[in-house]
Amino acid sequence: SDIINEINKYKVYYKKKGGVTLSGGEPFLQLDFCIQLVKRLKEQNINVIVETNGLILSEELLSVVDGVRLDIKNVHEENEISLLNTYAPFLDLCKRLSTPVTLTNVLVPTRNLNENSLKSLRILCDRYDYPIEFLAFRKTCVQKYLSLGIPFPYEYVPECSGKDVEKAKSIFFGE
């Protein structure tokens, strides 16, 4: 109820297709809560999407949300077979339920910003015919790692530039 009340304070700011996005951590780790929240929001005609890594399946949650943003994690040793094995169960369920999906992929130089990774990702996208958004890798979380005393695993990886994103799109779309 507290969350619903907080959300309702901002209802005036939602655009025609705006609404609430459940993101994480991983929302599917809190299934019961998310399902209850989505049902309450839907009673008020509030659009709800969920951002996920697609590793947990829930027909109940996927059948009540308005859409999914699926973050495709791929690194340089991935190929189309491993991507399909990882994401096919989730994407097949979304297709069966007619749940709209947008795929997202964070472009990480030296990890997945290469022809092999992008062509493997294209095969996955072509199989399901969902749109994709490329997101540039940024190091905005470095301070959080430092404050926790944890080494930042991408310390020596450069951030992704606009030029890198354009290069990825060119490889992905075959331009």
Side-chain angles (χ1 to χ4, degrees):
S1 292
D2 291 343
I3 292 173
I4 297 292
N5 291 336
E6 190 66 27
I7 290 169
N8 281 329
K9 289 180 189 176
Y10 301 97
K11 208 171 179 181
V12 58
Y13 295 105
Y14 301 152
K15 295 178 184 174
K16 189 174 185 178
K17 290 189 176 185
V20 172
T21 301
L22 305 179
S23 60
E26 175 54 57
F28 281 71
L29 289 173
Q30 300 176 53
L31 273 176
D32 293 337
F33 172 79
C34 288
I35 291 165
Q36 289 176 29
L37 179 62
V38 172
K39 286 179 178 179
R40 292 275 309 275
L41 292 170
K42 299 305 296 171
E43 288 170 2
Q44 298 181 39
N45 296 316
I46 296 175
N47 189 53
V48 183
I49 64 169
V50 61
E51 287 190 37
T52 180
N53 63 20
L55 300 180
I56 300 171
L57 302 179
S58 170
E59 185 168 333
E60 188 175 6
L61 181 56
L62 288 172
S63 66
V64 294
V65 296
D66 296 293
V68 171
R69 287 179 60 86
L70 175 60
D71 184 27
I72 302 295
K73 309 279 189 198
N74 66 330
V75 293
H76 62 284
E77 59 271 345
E78 292 281 358
N79 59 47
E80 63 271 12
I81 301 301
S82 62
L83 284 174
L84 286 170
N85 288 340
T86 300
Y87 297 105
F90 187 87
L91 291 169
D92 289 341
L93 180 58
C94 289
K95 276 284 187 205
R96 186 168 60 76
L97 297 172
S98 299
T99 304
V101 175
T102 297
L103 304 173
T104 61
N105 185 240
V106 177
L107 296 170
V108 183
T110 75
R111 296 291 195 268
N112 68 346
L113 189 52
N114 60 67
E115 196 165 318
N116 183 50
S117 292
L118 291 163
K119 286 186 175 184
S120 295
L121 182 59
R122 178 63 190 256
I123 291 167
L124 176 75
C125 289
D126 286 348
R127 177 174 176 177
Y128 291 96
D129 196 31
Y130 288 128
I132 187 162
E133 283 181 33
F134 290 109
L135 309 172
F137 166 70
R138 299 283 182 247
K139 295 183 180 183
T140 56
C141 59
V142 172
Q143 192 56 45
K144 179 175 156 182
Y145 277 83
L146 291 172
S147 68
L148 294 170
I150 301 171
F152 182 56
Y154 293 95
E155 179 180 353
Y156 299 105
V157 175
E159 288 191 341
C160 185
S161 69
K163 192 180 239 185
D164 290 331
V165 173
E166 292 309 311
K167 174 185 169 189
K169 287 179 181 178
S170 177
I171 294 169
F172 183 85
F173 292 109
E175 298 167 354

